[in-house]
Amino acid sequence: MNLGPIEYIVARIDGDYAYLLQEEQSKEEEKCVARALLPPEIAEGTRLHYEMMEYTIR
């Protein structure tokens, strides 16, 4: 389990889930995350910082 730090971009939002792309790994698959685990003000294109199982907007 990778506890970070990792930088993500919100690629798309679909209902209760957001699909994240790791910034440094553009060819990697999207990571599906429940929106309940993310800051409520996210939108497509939002940059997120992940560390110690917590997402914050940067």
Side-chain angles (χ1 to χ4, degrees):
M1 174 184 277
N2 188 349
L3 298 178
I6 305 171
E7 306 300 327
Y8 289 104
I9 296 175
V10 179
R12 61 188 173 100
I13 296 174
D14 187 9
D16 290 335
Y17 296 92
Y19 294 86
L20 310 180
L21 288 174
Q22 193 170 342
E23 282 189 352
E24 298 170 0
Q25 311 261 333
S26 62
K27 294 187 178 188
E28 195 169 311
E29 291 187 28
E30 294 176 331
K31 176 180 180 177
C32 181
V33 178
R35 288 185 65 189
L37 299 175
L38 302 172
E41 58 273 7
I42 66 161
E44 291 181 6
T46 301
R47 294 178 181 268
L48 297 173
H49 176 82
Y50 172 80
E51 189 166 11
M52 299 300 292
M53 298 177 23
E54 183 176 305
Y55 293 91
T56 54
I57 294 177
R58 42 174 206 119

